[in-house]
């Protein structure tokens, strides 16, 4: 693997198991995803390189900091030996800890992925800064709001973190509105989450009988089912389904309850602030809509123009989806099918909810005046490879909801359209639900709710592109930054994903899901022997030679220069991509959407 790569853009969703910061190493414009078990070895290697690169990046950052502060810090850092100079935990925290404390802190960090050593020492009722827009504090909410049940989902969460979440909810929700708090334990193995947590619950219930309830799964059932269990136990008019590694901000509930009181078909998400995994400081985040790509990874998305026209960042904005945390009228959520209980482990359930709510009579909004601080994780202690359940769940969403667009999920994961061999479970119940609720077609969602999502209707073929002379070599986007595609041993990851479009364009190195992004197009400049890659939008504006005539299993010929993309052996006996007079070489792209 070439090292000419950068540490990835972050894609994330909020989950019980972690804030999923998937940051594979990737080359420009790529999303590395795993398609097949035999790729795991490559993945492991990729991850190792990623670790090294981010460690180097972090090291450089730390060094810069240290140079700046060297005069002040020199004495301090000299005093105590740093036992874990490579640990993320200690890159900007813990200078004053004794060796014994460092050992303890590092152990807890490895176990939980965030700074539980510090959490155990901070007051359970700590205050956090008010990060709301100033207009929020001035808003007046109706007195007779619906009551709320708060569901906290966890799997092996640290006790002090759960206690702080509960405490923040009790302290910052008007008591007459807080119906109950339901702790859903998706079969944790940690002992303190049993006896010690039960004692804490009893202690609170002594003053507020029945306020805290615990639901414990007798086996691990995954995120969607844990959320459903919480919904089932809730009794309030509104249910808020949250992670347990959160702290709610001041007046978090009122804006949500007022919105649902005004329209019971809105499903809401608060705005999350980030709590650093090491210092546990709260970092202010701006409100933003929640979207996803065709692999169904969630991501922040811009609000629609109508929201910006309001010129008031404290106003709720429509959103295509939720990241995971959701607040809804309890009965309405039941009427539209809560969550898909056929989902496994993790992933896609938030997107499914978003699509279903919009298509079946409701809408999704992000509410800026309701803020929740969410603790990030540096690593995910309990999650093995999440891409497997992610793929399965994504295919399930596609099958139930996406109509003629469902193949886009296969394209995004580079899976064959048919016979992909992945069991998506029984979808008949959910399809029946869709019929019963008379939900709109997915096309309506794309046109009216999420027009930023590219429909990919022009894609004719996708996957790796091979020349029949050397079938172990694939076209690859080459080093990044850089614009020279190369031949490389086939590894089937994003840098080698190619897409052939009806308009003759060949994208190399993955395809973007959103129309505001641009792909990288194969170009024949007409000069020299090397093909290049260029931003497609830019190339189109300039009228450059990015159109190719290609029939599956035949030559790839540039429509303007009439030269062919071919391969040739160099003096070093390696094969290279060349632009030359066509000699009749043949190419095949891995998967065909429509015959071409
Ligand atoms: C936190 O609890 C302690 C002990 O009950 C109390 O003295 C303190 O005032 C509380 N702090 C806040 C910010 O509520
Ligand atoms: Mn989370």
């Amino acid at each position: 693997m070439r090292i000419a790569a950068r540490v990835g853009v972050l894609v994330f969703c909020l989950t019980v198991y972690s804030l999923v910061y998937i940051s594979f190493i990737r080359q420009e414009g790529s999303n590395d995803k795993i398609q097949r078990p035999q790729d795991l070895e490559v993945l492991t290697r990729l991850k190792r390189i990623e670790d090294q690169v981010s460690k180097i990046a972090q090291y450089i950052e730390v060094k810069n900091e240290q140079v700046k502060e060297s005069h002040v810090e020199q004495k301090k850092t000299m005093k105590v030996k740093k036992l874990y100079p490579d640990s993320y935990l200690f890159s900007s925290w813990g200078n004053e800890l004794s060796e014994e404390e460092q050992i303890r802190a590092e152990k807890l960090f490895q176990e939980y992925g965030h700074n539980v050593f510090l959490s155990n020492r901070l007051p359970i009722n700590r205050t956090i800064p008010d990060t709301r827009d100033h207009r929020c504090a001035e808003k007046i909410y109706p007195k007779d709001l619906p009551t709320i049940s708060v569901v906290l989902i966890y799997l092996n969460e640290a006790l002090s973190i759960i206690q702080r979440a509960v405490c923040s909810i009790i302290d910052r929700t008007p008591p007459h509105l807080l119906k109950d708090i339901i702790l859903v334990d998706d079969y944790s193995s940690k002992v303190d989450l049993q006896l010690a947590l039960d004692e804490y619950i009893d202690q609170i219930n002594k003053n507020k009988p029945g306020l805290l309830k615990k639901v414990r799964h007798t086996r691990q059932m995954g995120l969607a089912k844990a959320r459903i269990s919480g919904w089932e136990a809730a009794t309030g008019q509104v249910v808020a389904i949250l992670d347990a590694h959160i702290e709610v901000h001041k007046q978090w509930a009122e804006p949500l309850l007022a919105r649902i009181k005004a329209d019971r078909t809105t499903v809401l998400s608060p705005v999350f602030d980030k709590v650093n995994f090491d210092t546990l400081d709260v970092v202010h985040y701006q409100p933003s809509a929640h979207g996803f790509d065709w692999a169904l990874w969630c991501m922040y998305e811009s609000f629609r123009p109508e929201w910006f026209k309001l010129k008031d960042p404290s106003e709720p904005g429509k959103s295509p989806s939720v990241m995971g945390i959701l607040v809804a009228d309890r009965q309405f959520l039941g009427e539209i099918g809560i969550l898909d209980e056929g989902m496994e482990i993790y992933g896609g359930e938030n997107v499914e909810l978003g699509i279903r709510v919009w298509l079946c009579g409701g809408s999704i909004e992000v509410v800026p005046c309701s803020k929740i601080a969410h603790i990030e994780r540096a690593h995910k202690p309990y999650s093995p490879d999440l891409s497997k359940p992610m793929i399965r769940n994504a295919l399930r969403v596609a099958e139930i909801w996406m109509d003629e667009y469902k193949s886009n999920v296969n394209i995004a994961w580079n899976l064959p359209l048919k016979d992909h061999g992945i069991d998506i479970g029984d979808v008949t119940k959910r399809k029946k639900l869709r019929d019963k609720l008379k939900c709109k077609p997915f096309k309506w969602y794309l046109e009216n709710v999420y027009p930023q999502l590219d429909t990919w209707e022009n894609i004719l073929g996708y996957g790796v592109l091979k020349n029949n002379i050397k079938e172990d070599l694939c076209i690859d986007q080459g080093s990044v930054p850089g614009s020279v595609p190369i031949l490389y041993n086939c590894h089937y990851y994003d840098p080698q994903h190619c897409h052939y479009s009806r308009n003759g364009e060949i994208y190399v190195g993955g395809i973007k899901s959103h129309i505001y992004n641009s792909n990288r197009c194969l170009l024949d400049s007409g000069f020299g022997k090397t093909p290049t890659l260029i931003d497609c939008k830019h190339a189109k504006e300039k009228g450059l030679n990015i159109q190719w005539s290609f029939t599956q299993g035949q030559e790839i010929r540039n429509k303007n220069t009439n030269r062919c993309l071919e391969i040739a052996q160099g003096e070093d006996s390696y094969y290279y991509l060349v632009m030359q007079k066509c000699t009749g070489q043949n190419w095949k792209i891995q998967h065909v959407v429509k015959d071409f």
Side-chain angles (χ1 to χ4, degrees), residues 14-15 18-19 243 245 374:
L14 296 136
T15 79
S18 70
L19 178 70
D243 292 355
H245 42 263
H374 174 271

Side-chain angles (χ1 to χ4, degrees), residues 13 40 102 141 175 295-296 308 349 371 420 428 473 489 531 571 574:
C13 307
L40 277 175
Q102 289 180 52
Y141 300 103
L296 307 198
F308 289 98
E349 76 292 327
K371 298 208 81 173
H420 48 60
T428 49
L473 297 179
N489 289 330
E571 281 167 13
Y574 285 109

Side-chain angles (χ1 to χ4, degrees), residues 294-494:
W294 282 112
L296 307 198
W297 290 115
C298 53
M299 55 195 281
Y300 281 120
E301 184 63 81
S302 174
F303 282 124
R304 301 295 298 148
E306 301 84 68
W307 183 80
F308 289 98
K309 277 191 206 128
L310 298 174
K311 292 198 174 6
D312 180 353
S314 71
E315 281 298 302
K318 297 290 181 195
S319 175
S321 178
V322 292
M323 289 256 173
I325 285 178
L326 66 118
V327 183
D329 181 280
R330 183 168 59 83
Q331 281 178 356
F332 175 71
L333 192 57
E335 285 160 26
I336 61 160
I338 325 169
L339 287 170
D340 178 2
E341 59 187 6
M343 296 284 191
E344 279 172 6
I345 305 173
Y346 161 83
E349 76 292 327
N350 54 324
V351 174
E352 193 272 346
L353 177 79
I355 295 168
R356 174 160 42 87
V357 167
W358 277 108
L359 293 183
C360 312
S363 66
I364 307 267
E365 289 179 9
V366 170
V367 181
C369 287
S370 174
K371 298 208 81 173
I372 289 185
H374 174 271
I375 311 177
E376 65 168 346
R377 271 188 232 271
H379 59 263
K380 298 162 280 174
Y382 300 104
S383 44
D385 177 9
L386 284 178
S387 65
K388 263 194 196 147
M390 184 71 204
I391 290 173
R392 175 201 178 275
N393 291 346
L395 288 170
R396 206 177 149 81
V397 177
E399 184 57 37
I400 298 166
W401 295 103
M402 292 187 173
D403 306 326
E404 69 268 35
Y405 300 93
K406 68 180 177 187
S407 56
N408 287 354
V409 172
N410 302 59
I411 295 174
W413 286 102
N414 197 28
L415 297 168
L417 296 182
K418 289 199 186 91
D419 304 324
H420 48 60
I422 296 162
D423 178 11
I424 64 166
D426 185 4
V427 293
T428 49
K429 247 171 89 181
R430 296 306 279 185
K431 281 189 167 176
K432 262 189 205 145
L433 175 79
R434 185 179 170 176
D435 287 343
K436 193 187 95 187
L437 296 173
K438 300 191 168 54
C439 307
K440 295 188 179 82
F442 191 64
K443 193 178 174 62
W444 180 89
Y445 178 85
L446 288 177
E447 285 171 355
N448 296 281
V449 180
Y450 206 177
Q452 302 101 308
L453 210 51
D454 194 328
T455 56
W456 287 357
E457 280 160 305
N458 286 326
I459 301 303
L460 300 177
Y462 61 99
V464 298
L465 200 46
K466 292 180 185 183
N467 188 301
N468 67 349
I469 293 176
K470 261 321 254 170
E471 293 200 350
D472 56 337
L473 297 179
C474 287
I475 293 187
D476 185 299
Q477 66 174 354
S479 51
V480 173
S483 58
V484 182
I486 57 168
L487 278 179
Y488 199 77
N489 289 330
C490 296
H491 58 58
Y492 297 90
Y493 289 106
D494 256 43

Side-chain angles (χ1 to χ4, degrees), residues 129 131 272-276 279 281-286 371 373:
T131 59
F272 319 112
D273 282 329
K274 181 179 85 166
V275 177
N276 290 331
T279 61
D281 287 335
V282 175
V283 180
H284 180 195
Y285 269 25
Q286 295 295 337
K371 298 208 81 173

